[in-house]
Amino acid sequence: MEKKIYEKPAITKHHSGFMNKFGSSPVTTPKSEVDGVSVNAIADQYGSPVFVLSERRIRENFRNTLRTFKTRYPKVQYAWSYKTNYLNAVCSIFHQEGSWAEVVSEFEYDRARKLGIPGKYIIFNGPDKSEQALLKAIEDGAKIHVDHFDELYKIIELSEKTEKKPQLAIRVNMDTGIYPKWDRFGFNYENGEAMEALRRIVMQPTLKLIGLHTHIGTYMMSAEAYRIAARKMVVLANELFTKYETKLDYIDMGGGFPSNNTLKGQYLQAEQVLPTIEDFADAVTSELFRISYHGSDMPTLILESGRSLIDDAGFLISTIIANKRLSDGKKATIMDGGVNILFTSFWYKHKISPAQPTGLSTENSTIYGPLCMNIDVLREDIVLPNLKVGDRVVIHHVGAYNMTQWMQFITLRPNIVMVMEDGTTELIRESEDLEYIMSREKLPAKLSEFKL
Ligand SMILES: *Cc1c(COP(=O)(O)O)cnc(C)c1O
């Protein structure tokens, strides 16, 4: 039997309005492994901090979500949102599962092509598509989602010079009852701009209209918003059909379903306040059935979920650097993973677990990262057991956006490891080193020498 940890007795002040130690959640439960692979073994081998992704969890999330939609609507196609996590290993899992690619820049477009995705399976979103990028996308037969009239005019001009017909959808923004409105992308529904853009595309013989797109927001906490959005998309589709006899191949409802992270300022845990994926699927699909096409002509429902598919498949393993007391006596803990690599800690209260068994006494503390910057705070207030220097912790639900939005600031970006379905681990992105970072710099000759 393993020896229990000895902790010296401590008296903790009870703050009125806060739960006492018997009422708080079990933060002492260790997270010692990811899919059966020891957290400490991963950190010993790949260093700390280190990101860990679970292949199994990604596939499970994908399959469960797809099944939820497919059992409610006959034609469903997923497109993986590259910006959420565009590591090749991650994209390849989604593509193996049948996902197309959803990209929002030429850089992401090129990544998808390089990974072997044919143009016709790439959805090209975003407000900034250069002429060169558009030409490429037209040649490849990619699905171009037009963001604004200036882009449409550019495409019309290009379409007169190319053999291939651009395959177009428009992005639509609308009032879904969620404020502030997301109206900076695409054409507005309520003021008639969306219908006007559609009319121009339909009237232009060098263009082909294939779909409608909307992405109503991110971390959406309302299934009702999707019901409203789907209804408005169907109104547009039905109007196109009656006025111009144009049928669409697809209606793309974008992404935006929340992940199980708790937002800052949200009192209850995410699981207690968020709609389920079934709620979202019911809302979207029940509206799509109102389309006036005949049976087998139903448009495909495209979905571009990002964070909800991968957030809980990502973990950050970090190591305790030091414990100290702030001037008011509050405990502060410094870890080696900071906001430079954990961008989402700016708006999420990430769950943090010890990686090994700890004692039972807990204390409210602030968790800082390693940066010499005041903003480097991972959790303002978190009740944790006593953690010693060198102990490891696991930060949960970090698979979305951190590995694309992280910054090279003050220190280098760490390794990313994937725990494979068979229990092996693979390094999927190597940590950066000084040489890699400096290789992009040029030192003007007159600055290359100095005497101190
Ligand atoms: C970012 C983005 C997504 C993914 O959003 P999530 O909130 O992560 O699901 C999907 N579609 C478009 C157009 C996006 O910009």
Side-chain angles (χ1 to χ4, degrees), residues 81 83-84 102 104 125 171 213 215 217-219 254-257 304-308 401:
S81 157
K83 78 170 186 293
T84 307
E102 186 274 323
V104 293
N125 284 318
R171 177 159 178 174
H213 172 237
H215 172 63
T218 192
Y219 198 93
F257 304 146
E304 308 171 340
S305 307
R307 67 177 78 240
S308 69
Y401 296 101

